[in-house]
Amino acid sequence: MSNELGAFLSARRALVTPEQAGIPHGGVRRVPGLRREEVAMLAGLSADYYLRLERGRDRNPSVQVLESIARVLQLDEEHLAYLLTLVSESARKRRRRSRRETVPPGALKLLGSLVQPAFIEGRYFDILASNSLAQALSPGLVAGGNQLRDLFLNPAEQALHPEWENITECFVANLRQAVGTDIDDPRFIELTGELSLASARFRQLWARHEVRGQRGTPIRFNHPQVGELTLNRERLSIGGADGLMLVVYHADAGSGDADKLSLLASAGLPAGRDPRAVQPART
């Protein structure tokens, strides 16, 4: 039986230094971060009880206990919310998902009306549909592709992102929040298994148990045709389609980045092709 709670607590404990927790430096330490007994002491728990939590021998801690541990581990609200799901009733009643992610027709029409680079992504960052300008921005943004696989395994995609390390850290934290406790999902098992085998960077980030939701943020690109540009990235939920998001890149009005995006639209597309043309994933 998996012990997600224990793995999470252990990983987060290793990221908090004694100094951050207010513990005086006491010479050489054999483990990174805090010891189990230090977490227990600071959280007001017995060392034996905390040990049972990490080893999966007690799977029903109270909310108060988890909040005390979260305080010691300096978890933010997103990490605390994730921690609480690991022991919730719904988490114990896992289900194996096998449903196909299907883009609603209305969302495809909306995607086709956009003049900005845009695409629709699934729960695990699979590209389900994209317009031509998105594909001109990145060849990886083509229906049937996967952003995580490209970021970690495709050198051309890595070269497109001068802040690649920050981007990969963000995506892995987003993935952990997206999957929650539904780790029996076959698509999740396939994707994380492939990346864990092929990428040391992915293994390192996955082991940290970072949890973070995606937010609108500027993204820097180093595009082989138009050079460096910074675009705003927005993710919009698609109603009636659980987990599907419309992602739009847009430049600040009147900026040099907007000029470069217009140049990319004109230079990267065959004559007569509408930059709004949508390529949906094949089924």
Side-chain angles (χ1 to χ4, degrees), residues 130-133 135-136 265-266 268-279:
S130 63
N131 64 14
S132 297
L133 190 49
Q135 297 162 37
S266 61
L269 300 174
R273 187 175 180 185
D274 190 335
R276 299 170 297 178
V278 173
Q279 180 188 39

Side-chain angles (χ1 to χ4, degrees), residues 152 164-166 168-169 199-206:
F152 284 100
W164 177 78
E165 289 192 353
N166 292 337
T168 53
E169 182 178 347
S199 171
R201 171 68 174 169
F202 179 84
R203 292 194 300 272
Q204 174 195 36
L205 292 175
W206 192 245

Side-chain angles (χ1 to χ4, degrees), residues 28-86:
V28 178
R29 299 173 67 91
R30 293 181 297 173
V31 296
L34 297 178
R35 301 185 179 101
R36 292 190 185 97
E37 58 269 24
E38 291 170 338
V39 175
M41 175 190 67
L42 294 172
L45 308 172
S46 73
D48 180 66
Y49 179 69
Y50 182 80
L51 178 62
R52 294 203 307 272
L53 285 179
E54 274 207 12
R55 292 186 173 176
R57 296 203 296 261
D58 189 321
R59 296 173 182 267
N60 297 284
S62 69
V63 172
Q64 291 77 12
V65 165
L66 293 178
E67 288 178 340
S68 295
I69 294 173
R71 173 180 51 78
V72 175
L73 299 183
Q74 302 181 13
L75 303 184
D76 59 22
E77 291 185 2
E78 286 182 308
H79 286 85
L80 173 58
Y82 178 80
L83 173 61
L84 294 175
T85 68
L86 297 180

Side-chain angles (χ1 to χ4, degrees), residues 182-279:
D182 195 15
I183 60 173
D184 287 347
D185 187 332
R187 176 64 183 136
F188 166 76
I189 294 172
E190 174 192 27
L191 180 62
T192 55
E194 176 187 4
L195 294 175
S196 294
L197 288 173
S199 171
R201 171 68 174 169
F202 179 84
R203 292 194 300 272
Q204 174 195 36
L205 292 175
W206 192 245
R208 289 171 60 91
H209 286 253
E210 290 282 356
V211 181
R212 192 182 316 151
Q214 289 210 34
R215 303 174 180 84
T217 185
I219 302 291
R220 288 179 57 209
F221 294 90
N222 187 12
H223 197 276
Q225 288 180 277
V226 298
E228 288 199 9
L229 71 162
T230 299
L231 300 176
N232 303 298
R233 185 176 193 267
E234 311 295 341
R235 296 176 78 245
L236 309 172
S237 298
I238 297 176
D242 183 31
L244 269 59
M245 307 292 290
L246 171 66
V247 182
V248 182
Y249 287 107
H250 61 99
D252 292 341
S255 66
D257 295 320
D259 294 338
K260 290 182 179 181
L261 194 57
S262 297
L263 179 62
L264 182 62
S266 61
L269 300 174
R273 187 175 180 185
D274 190 335
R276 299 170 297 178
V278 173
Q279 180 188 39

Side-chain angles (χ1 to χ4, degrees), residues 80-129:
L80 173 58
Y82 178 80
L83 173 61
L84 294 175
T85 68
L86 297 180
V87 296
S88 68
E89 185 65 22
S90 60
R92 288 192 289 268
K93 294 180 178 178
R94 297 194 192 96
R95 61 196 182 283
R96 183 171 294 274
R97 293 173 180 252
S98 58
R99 70 178 187 275
R100 185 180 62 191
E101 293 181 312
T102 303
V103 181
L108 285 176
K109 291 179 182 179
L110 174 60
L111 178 63
S113 72
L114 297 174
V115 297
Q116 300 91 352
F119 58 94
I120 294 174
E121 67 182 16
R123 192 182 185 202
Y124 303 125
F125 306 109
D126 293 308
I127 304 297
L128 305 179

